[in-house]
Amino acid sequence: MVWKKGRNASPTWCWADGRGMAYPKKAHELLEFPILLCNQSLSSWDQGKGVDIGAQEELSGRCQRPGGSKTNSSWPRLLPRHSTMHLLGPSLLLLGYLVYSDSTYSAWTFKHPKTLYAWDGACVWIPCTYSSLKGGGHILDNLTVYHNFTYNKTAKNYVGTVLYFKNLTAEESTSSQERVRFLGNRRNNCTLLINPVRVDDSGLLGLRVMSRTDKWMASLNLSISEKAPQPHIELPQEIQEGQEVTATCLLNFACHDYQIHLRWSLEGSVTTSTILSTETVATQSKLHFQPNWTHDGKNLTCQLWDPMKERLLSEKVVLLEVKYAPKLKIQVNPEEATVTEGESVTMRCQVMGSNPPHGNVSWFKDRTQLKEQGTTVTLPEVTRTMSGQYTCQVSNEVGTRRSDAVDLQVHYAPEPSSVQISPSSIKEGVTVELACISAANPPPANYTWYFNGQEILGKNGRNFQIPQVLVKHAGRYSCLAENSLGPGSVDQEADLDVQYPPKGVTTVIQNPTPIREGDSVTLSCTFNSSNPRVTRYNWNSPSSQDQTSQEKLTIRKVTWDAAPVKCEACNQWCSWSPPVNLNVHYAPKDVNIQISPRTEVQSGQQVLLRCEFSSSRPMDVHYFWKKDGSLLKKQKTLTFDSISPEDSGTYHCLVNNSIGQTSSEACELRVLYAPRRLRVSISPKDGVVEGKMAVLTCEGDANPAPSHYNWFDGNNQDLHHYGQTLRLEPVKLQHSGSYWCRGANRLGQSQSPPTTLTVYYSAATISRRAALGVGFCLAIFLLAIWGVKLQRNWKRIQRQQGLQESSSGQSFFVRNIKARRTPQAECPHSLGCYNRVMEDAVSYATLSFPLGETDAQRLRDAESSEMREIPPSRDDSVTYAVVQNRQVADYENVTPEVLDDEGIHYSELVHFGNGKRALAQEGVEYVTLKH
């Protein structure tokens, strides 16, 4: 095939295979069935707008080689595999691979099978995809399917039979009645279906597609035959027996609307698949089977079957060639392969088949190769030693095979017989098997048995069995064998020696009874008879390790639980004596206390303590109980109807018999009860000094111990403290008072009575309080003195007022003279003096009155009454005070004109007359100043 890309382009050679695929130069070296397309050319590009197929087709039997030379007879003529479908004109093959464009360059890429095959009445499924090289802008507007089209250069268009036209912009659905149907879309799928297809549909099929900006022509070839073509069968190059083979039946046809089946003539595993792609449209079936040598030379058929009409469309037949190792069989004369000693035998190795042909024949007897070669072996005078298994062996390229064995039997009379006894060592009581040994062919059919020369009646088999042999069966045995050729003879007798273990074995206690725990015991082993003689003794006592082979056994310090003792006397076999119980006497064992209930014991429950022991010999026992070492009762059971905490303690149970006494292990009885007898203990006991630490502990009796506590003061206020110990640090005076606690466990709770905590003053507090008390007492004392004085003064004033009222009514006053004068120290016998003028607004004046006779007499009359209180040391002078009001004026001791004068209460001076007066306790009398 030659391609041209321009008017002056040089031709290019190409190759095509039998299915229409075009390949470049040198591709024929890779093709299985290449077709050489020679000296074909294409016309040039037509004005740069299109491509046409040259009408020039030079067909020649001789092709021009690349380089100018022509083909000669040395070039083989290459034919397509499917000649019926592939014998198309070279021009059709060329047209099937051309794509035509109305543009200057290719704008479309189409993918579809180059050639499709079908037959009349079937259908054609054309898988097709396309894409635009310009991107996604090309969308099909219409599609035209031409049959056998050509390009009209004048009209610059394609002409031919229009099988189908579709305006894709109209979005009209394709009718199922149309013979040609478009199954694709406007973007990438151009799949077509032609159903049914006719013979005249063969030829070039063109797919003309158009878009708004471009148009394109794609072509493919249809090969439609009148009848269905034969499928193609592919087999491995070599088939061997036993190796799995896969045979492939291939048909270059597939259509969804036309179902077909591919059937095989052989049984096997079949896998059928349909291929509908843009590269291949085909249906294939794979047969997997195990070939055997009978398949060699047989036909293998693949049938194309129409399941709808149930008819055969076509078939393909190939001849199977199966290679296998030789198949052998031995023919014997006589056929039974049974002869009498001295006769002749002929054996022939028959090869039933071999592919490829086989080599020489070898013979074997009992797997040992014989010297004889060839297909036939003759034994002129057979002997009894020639009996055995005969086989023949043949090899070829596939392998080596050996025939089935032929068992050659040579008959002869029985040989002299002997007796075989089994087992060899015969013990009394076992089963004894006596066998008569005599070689013969055929085997002896009858046997005669003899015991000490006398025939044993009723025994005529080869084996003679004595189920339980006894001493009386001992003696000499012989036998005589006989077959169809006659009787044999007796060769030798066999002796039956029946042996047995020692009989009447007994263990004897040689000590006087009863036996106490810790005594020494001697035992002896005796027997009545033995065959063979006794060689050793065995004892089952642990104390017999150093006396194994001795007839006597001494047990030193026998234990209370000594097991029964027996001895064994042995020759070739051993016999045990019956066990002898020593009946050792001992004190009670395993004394223990059983408590009921077994669970925890709570106060108030009924509790039972029972004394138990495991064993005692003798069984006459007595019981004793001890609690904390003190003896309680002599009975087996202790019963507490309502147990109390005081019943807790350590209990022992003692059991004794005539041998001794045994005590149980200590049993601790713990009675659980709620807290009781709670009290609060204070540390230190005699009180605590403030500032120190006081520790209050809630003590009591409980089992189990209290899990939590609560503390309260004397006012029953919860202190929110939950430990057993309450610590007060530092303790204060306000902590003094009563305290009580409450304890609880899982059985209940209880509370203590109140306990008083006494907190003493510290030395500093005592000093401080003492000083405060002394100060307070001193203040009270001073107030008391002041009050006494006030009371005395008040009484004195009252007396003076009374005297004044009884006086002559004279009044004296002191006037504060404004002029500054030198104070007079003393004015005796004067009526009055001025106070010393002072800057602090208080002046003092002392008035002295001389006593007259009248006054003296009055004074004496009053000594018995009020005046007795005046001390004799008092003088007759009285001191007055003048208080200066700096803001108004000096106050004077004058009689106020107004009763409620604002500043001054005055003193009335009473003249007592002349005489000596007692001195007052203080030199100052009080003037009431009302402000």
Side-chain angles (χ1 to χ4, degrees), residues 463-772:
N463 295 325
F464 172 33
Q465 187 179 77
I466 303 174
Q468 291 183 348
V469 69
L470 302 175
V471 177
K472 66 179 182 179
H473 294 143
R476 294 175 288 104
Y477 289 84
S478 61
C479 65
L480 180 67
E482 183 179 0
N483 66 1
S484 59
L485 300 180
S489 60
V490 177
D491 185 11
Q492 57 183 1
E493 295 178 333
D495 289 332
L496 177 60
D497 182 21
V498 179
Q499 298 179 344
Y500 55 90
K503 295 183 179 182
V505 180
T506 306
T507 301
V508 180
I509 301 175
Q510 297 183 353
N511 286 55
T513 57
I515 302 173
R516 292 173 174 265
E517 182 179 7
D519 291 348
S520 295
V521 180
T522 302
L523 303 96
S524 62
C525 188
T526 64
F527 62 93
N528 295 333
S529 62
S530 175
N531 183 23
R533 66 182 182 85
V534 174
T535 58
R536 71 182 189 279
Y537 298 90
N538 294 322
W539 296 87
N540 73 328
S541 173
S543 303
S544 65
Q545 296 179 359
D546 55 347
Q547 308 174 48
T548 302
S549 302
Q550 297 181 9
E551 182 181 354
K552 291 186 177 182
L553 172 66
T554 300
I555 303 176
R556 295 177 178 84
K557 294 184 180 181
V558 67
T559 59
W560 67 272
D561 57 348
V565 181
K566 60 182 179 178
C567 69
E568 183 183 41
C570 299
N571 49 24
Q572 187 176 350
W573 302 276
C574 294
S575 296
W576 284 98
S577 69
V580 174
N581 199 335
L582 300 182
N583 292 325
V584 179
H585 286 208
Y586 54 91
K589 300 295 182 183
D590 299 329
V591 178
N592 61 87
I593 298 175
Q594 300 292 330
I595 301 179
S596 178
R598 294 180 180 274
T599 57
E600 62 184 22
V601 178
Q602 296 184 11
S603 179
Q605 287 184 331
Q606 182 180 14
V607 178
L608 181 67
L609 274 67
R610 187 170 57 256
C611 187
E612 300 287 353
F613 62 92
S614 62
S615 62
S616 173
R617 187 176 289 119
M619 289 298 295
D620 185 15
V621 297
H622 299 86
Y623 298 90
F624 301 90
W625 286 92
K626 285 185 178 182
K627 176 189 176 186
D628 298 330
S630 299
L631 188 63
L632 295 178
K633 297 181 180 180
K634 295 181 180 182
Q635 59 186 25
K636 182 178 181 179
T637 303
L638 284 180
T639 303
F640 303 91
D641 294 331
S642 178
I643 198 165
S644 64
E646 287 72 18
D647 295 324
S648 298
T650 303
Y651 288 81
H652 288 82
C653 170
L654 295 90
V655 184
N656 63 12
N657 60 8
S658 60
I659 304 301
Q661 177 174 283
T662 306
S663 174
S664 69
E665 293 183 357
C667 177
E668 189 72 24
L669 179 61
R670 296 177 65 250
V671 179
L672 305 182
Y673 51 93
R676 63 175 188 169
R677 302 172 184 171
L678 294 183
R679 65 185 182 87
V680 177
S681 66
I682 301 176
S683 178
K685 296 181 179 179
D686 300 330
V688 61
V689 177
E690 66 170 332
K692 302 296 183 180
M693 180 179 69
V695 179
L696 284 71
T697 304
C698 190
E699 298 177 348
D701 187 14
N703 190 12
S707 58
H708 61 276
Y709 296 84
N710 295 88
W711 286 88
F712 302 87
D713 60 11
N715 297 324
N716 294 329
Q717 295 295 323
D718 193 347
L719 300 181
H720 300 288
H721 184 77
Y722 306 102
Q724 184 180 7
T725 301
L726 175 63
R727 296 178 181 271
L728 302 176
E729 183 180 12
V731 70
K732 300 178 181 179
L733 292 176
Q734 55 266 33
H735 289 154
S736 297
S738 298
Y739 291 85
W740 61 276
C741 65
R742 181 165 58 203
N745 60 10
R746 57 186 175 87
L747 301 179
Q749 64 182 14
S750 177
Q751 67 184 37
S752 69
T755 300
T756 301
L757 172 64
T758 302
V759 181
Y760 295 101
Y761 292 109
S762 63
T765 302
I766 292 175
S767 300
R768 188 170 55 254
R769 294 292 180 94
L772 183 62

Side-chain angles (χ1 to χ4, degrees), residues 436 444-450 455-465 479-482:
C436 186
N446 185 50
Y447 294 88
T448 303
W449 285 92
Y450 301 91
E455 182 179 352
I456 302 175
L457 300 178
K459 302 295 182 181
N460 53 9
R462 179 179 181 273
N463 295 325
F464 172 33
Q465 187 179 77
C479 65
L480 180 67
E482 183 179 0

